[in-house]
Amino acid sequence: MNKNHYALILAGGVGSRFWPISRTVYPKQFIDIIGNGKTLIQETYQRLSKVCPKENIFILTNESYTQLVKEQLPDITDQQIVTEPVMRNTAPCIAYGCFKIESLNPDAVIVVAPSDQQILNEDAFINALDKSLKTATEHHCLVTLGIKPSRPDTGYGYIQYSDIVINNDFHKVKNFTEKPTLDIARGFIQSGDFLWNAGIFVWSAKSILKAFETYMPDLHDIFDDARLVYNTEQEVAHINQAYQHCINTSIDYGVMEKAGNVYVLPSDFGWSDLGTWASIYELSEKDGAGNAVNSNEKVIMQNSSNCVVNMPGNKLVILQGLNNYIVVEANDTLLICPRDQEQTVKQIVADVKSKFGVEYV
């Protein structure tokens, strides 16, 4: 395995759209949401260990989740857990992780991947990463993996690509678009040159640090000034102070939308970002009425259809005449919400926090 291959797993989010199962103190990346015996972060780590030496895989997370990372990934050393004191979106934490890796190995080529995605065709995923690592090394470009869309989904960002190609498969990116309206998403699908943005990146350490220097110079300087403390006992204290000066923005907005050397690999490996209950519904087995019910055998569906139901195993539940609903109970909280309004869950969490404090979030 190539010793220059590294990975950064993004595992600092709180997963509020999966509330009430996902909580701030125990978010979705540390939960076996699919029910296959492995948490999302464990699956991500195992996938990436097939392209990177295990000692080269780093976990980017909030410092409050350090113990959870250690419990779920016992092979990870303390040095491989990169913690941020506060959430500042993806640009600062990716800059931090890439600077830290570059200080260890200037020739590093880095895969950046979220910890909360489902990938059904692992062989195709590994093949896409191998090709991307090769292309990023040879062409000093910033690579992102784009998913061939199967429907006009409004919950994903989109990437438009051009006919300019390197290494046969990698298309130069034209534009990044945030979550569109349904009509715009339909237009994207019809045009044939748009992909879903999976948030998976591949680049050399030198290329991404140069991009930060060019497009986010203030952020670059913050982490460049920390070079003398990376991988020392002074690192955490220095970074905790430095983070107070970091802008709150995404890597897409800060770098990828601006850089001229961004290429996308159109991919199809059974991807889902597992961002919402709808994504769980799509992946789950369903009964004849289209209901996706968790393993609780005490759930009875009567004249109900197309629901996603996740209830504690010790509770008898009867749903009568309910169609297209999300019904979830966890942590002393019951959520009943129309499936077509699941984007409101994040606001519901904010309202609960405002009314009852952090106890239920």
Side-chain angles (χ1 to χ4, degrees):
M1 194 171 291
N2 193 321
K3 63 181 178 59
N4 290 333
H5 289 176
Y6 286 75
L8 290 172
I9 298 177
L10 307 181
V14 298
S16 59
R17 288 181 295 175
F18 266 120
W19 184 84
I21 284 181
S22 179
R23 295 290 187 95
T24 300
V25 296
Y26 210 102
K28 65 175 179 176
Q29 60 267 31
F30 301 107
I31 298 172
D32 176 15
I33 288 180
I34 300 297
N36 62 3
K38 296 178 183 176
T39 66
L40 297 180
I41 194 172
Q42 288 172 332
E43 287 197 307
T44 303
Y45 175 78
Q46 290 180 6
R47 280 195 297 268
L48 292 176
S49 68
K50 296 182 179 180
V51 294
C52 304
K54 286 186 176 182
E55 62 271 20
N56 289 0
I57 300 176
F58 289 75
I59 312 299
L60 285 163
T61 192
N62 188 281
E63 61 184 6
S64 62
Y65 301 143
T66 299
Q67 190 57 39
L68 283 173
V69 172
K70 290 181 178 180
E71 291 171 1
Q72 298 201 2
L73 302 176
D75 291 342
I76 289 287
T77 66
D78 289 351
Q79 195 63 33
Q80 292 168 265
I81 303 175
V82 185
T83 60
E84 52 180 353
V86 291
M87 288 188 290
R88 287 288 187 268
N89 214 314
T90 53
C93 68
I94 288 175
Y96 175 22
C98 289
F99 264 99
K100 181 180 175 71
I101 289 174
E102 191 268 349
S103 71
L104 293 169
N105 182 355
D107 295 321
V109 189
I110 306 166
V111 177
V112 179
S115 60
D116 55 359
Q117 298 184 339
Q118 174 79 354
I119 291 171
L120 300 178
N121 189 338
E122 192 170 277
D123 290 340
F125 176 71
I126 299 305
N127 181 58
L129 287 187
D130 285 337
K131 291 165 66 174
S132 298
L133 287 161
K134 181 176 183 291
T135 298
T137 302
E138 293 177 348
H139 294 271
H140 309 289
C141 56
L142 309 179
V143 172
T144 184
L145 303 188
I147 308 302
K148 297 174 183 177
S150 59
R151 60 187 182 276
D153 200 302
T154 61
Y156 298 147
Y158 285 75
I159 301 170
Q160 184 182 25
Y161 60 91
S162 73
D163 293 331
I164 301 173
V165 179
I166 57 174
N167 277 16
N168 299 319
D169 299 311
F170 293 79
H171 291 256
K172 189 174 178 63
V173 170
K174 282 185 180 180
N175 294 296
F176 287 84
T177 302
E178 290 300 313
K179 299 172 183 178
T181 64
L182 183 57
D183 285 343
I184 292 175
R186 285 172 177 153
F188 288 171
I189 300 301
Q190 291 172 359
S191 72
D193 59 352
F194 281 83
L195 303 164
W196 287 335
N197 185 355
I200 301 171
F201 310 106
V202 183
W203 44 49
S204 69
K206 292 175 182 176
S207 294
I208 189 60
L209 264 57
K210 180 64 176 176
F212 276 118
E213 184 179 20
T214 303
Y215 303 106
M216 302 188 74
D218 291 343
L219 189 68
H220 173 275
D221 290 348
I222 287 172
F223 293 104
D224 189 55
D225 289 344
R227 282 187 179 277
L228 293 179
V229 302
Y230 289 129
N231 308 298
T232 71
E233 293 181 355
Q234 291 75 44
E235 178 179 339
V236 172
H238 184 103
I239 293 299
N240 285 354
Q241 180 64 31
Y243 244 79
Q244 307 308 315
H245 305 287
C246 288
I247 187 173
N248 187 340
T249 194
S250 69
I251 190 70
D252 298 78
Y253 181 78
V255 173
M256 303 300 282
E257 294 179 9
K258 300 178 175 68
N261 63 334
V262 179
Y263 287 80
V264 62
L265 175 64
S267 306
D268 186 5
F269 39 71
W271 173 88
S272 171
D273 77 336
L274 294 185
T276 63
W277 284 109
S279 59
I280 294 296
Y281 179 83
E282 293 297 330
L283 290 168
S284 300
E285 292 186 10
K286 303 170 186 68
D287 64 20
N291 297 305
V293 183
N294 69 339
S295 57
N296 182 358
E297 298 179 354
K298 295 182 180 180
V299 174
I300 300 174
M301 308 292 289
Q302 294 187 339
N303 298 319
S304 297
S305 61
N306 303 317
C307 294
V308 54
V309 182
N310 193 306
M311 301 295 292
N314 61 348
K315 179 161 289 191
L316 174 62
V317 179
I318 299 94
L319 299 181
Q320 166 71 38
L322 206 60
N323 301 303
N324 294 299
Y325 266 78
I326 300 164
V327 182
V328 182
E329 181 176 338
N331 302 306
D332 296 323
T333 305
L334 173 64
L335 172 70
I336 302 173
C337 174
R339 279 180 53 208
D340 61 3
Q341 296 179 32
E342 70 162 355
Q343 296 297 333
T344 65
V345 171
K346 201 167 187 177
Q347 183 58 49
I348 290 171
V349 174
D351 293 343
V352 169
K353 183 176 181 180
S354 175
K355 190 169 184 178
F356 298 106
V358 299
E359 178 182 357
Y360 293 100
V361 300

